[in-house]
Amino acid sequence: SRGGEGLVLPLNGAPVYLTSDKLSGDEILQLFEKASIGNAREFALDVAPCDDNGATALAVGLRSLTNKPVGRVVVELVGFPTNWGLAENLVFFGRLEPATTQVRCIPLTRFSVSPDVSEIQVSAQSGNYRVEGISRELILAQAMPAVMEIKLDGEVTDAEYANAIPISLDKAEQLVGGDPQAWSGREKSSAIFRLVWTPDALYVGGIVKDAGEVQNHAADDELWLGDAVEVYLRPELKGSLFKNAPVSQYGKIIVAPALGNSTRSRVVGGADGTIAGIDAGKIESAIKRTASGYSLEIKIPVSGARLAAGKIWGFDLGAIIYDETGDATRRFQFVWTGKQAWTSPDNFGFLYFGK
């Protein structure tokens, strides 16, 4: 007890059991309904680049972590890329009800796909309660408008991807699976991708170096157990800022080489293999085997709103390569951001649709 005012219980140890010779079980439960948790967080705070109806913006979000309403909250962006421009640096939130999330968007008046700092620092205040935080790491790639019609044949030609900005998976720090000491280097195991877009689809062109046999004999629901390329997508950022976002709001597309120049693919997302904003049933892919591995193309059609310059998605790329011998002990998984992405969409980078 503390001066007869009540009972203090630690919440970071073993379970605590209470008995009383004066109170019934229901009376104890009624007392716990009035309990408060000391030093507990009232809300989670997050910020990420996004688009707001096609305009480049920042999504700032709050999620309630208590069973009591949180009063008015003021969020200030205190550390920010100097080569980005903010329409305002204060965001005001009204009453935050229990088990709810609120998101506000701040327009960006100036934007660069290469921010000069790797994170955004934020501060939130509600009454006397204050939270400091930082954004997820700002890792951005850019897809450019297609300059001509893409013929989906597995060949990544300079003409079709003329203005695409390469994304390389060829560094030891990008290995999230496999022993970096056993990696033979980028000349034998690596990948490079180019991305272009049309209003109806995102196109991913990849060239994979694989010194071993290009093969994938895994079952359709385990394509990551062989050579494969993975595209991680989170088209809707505003509604899915937090780690426990519905799985339907993010997912991955796996494309694997099959017999000859054919492919097998699978969409992993949601309860029924769907990703919000993606027309999963119309995804197409093609592959062409090469002397040093293979090249592939993936067409990812969108559903709902069409693509336009200024959009930003959560995004990542992966390549699974069986180096040299095809032995499972020499299986290397590269991920663009260098982070294990699939079950942690907060680890995704960002894809900006350029002009």
Side-chain angles (χ1 to χ4, degrees), residues 177-180 182-183 321-323 325-332:
D179 180 4
W183 177 45
I321 303 170
Y322 279 73
D323 184 31
T325 63
D327 191 305
T329 61
R330 299 187 67 84
R331 174 179 178 268
F332 300 101

Side-chain angles (χ1 to χ4, degrees), residues 158-208:
D158 290 339
E160 289 178 316
Y161 295 85
N163 61 343
I165 300 170
I167 302 173
S168 298
L169 277 64
D170 60 359
K171 301 177 181 64
E173 55 265 32
Q174 292 174 314
L175 280 169
V176 301
D179 180 4
Q181 299 300 319
W183 177 45
S184 300
R186 61 172 59 93
E187 290 304 316
K188 290 191 175 181
S189 301
S190 61
I192 187 167
F193 294 91
R194 298 178 181 179
L195 279 63
V196 296
W197 62 272
T198 67
D200 300 313
L202 172 68
Y203 291 83
V204 178
I207 298 174
V208 180

Side-chain angles (χ1 to χ4, degrees), residues 140-165:
L140 285 92
Q142 187 166 197
M144 299 300 290
V147 297
M148 61 185 292
E149 183 179 353
I150 305 295
K151 180 182 178 183
L152 211 70
D153 56 7
E155 283 198 60
V156 183
T157 67
D158 290 339
E160 289 178 316
Y161 295 85
N163 61 343
I165 300 170

Side-chain angles (χ1 to χ4, degrees), residues 215-230 252-259 262-269 273 285 320:
Q215 50 81 35
N216 190 317
H217 303 302
D220 287 345
D221 59 351
E222 295 182 325
L223 291 179
W224 53 84
L225 295 179
D227 290 315
V229 165
E230 299 182 318
K252 67 177 176 180
I253 299 161
I254 310 174
V255 177
L259 293 175
S262 61
T263 64
R264 291 190 294 157
S265 63
R266 182 172 181 241
V267 179
V268 182
S285 59
I320 300 171

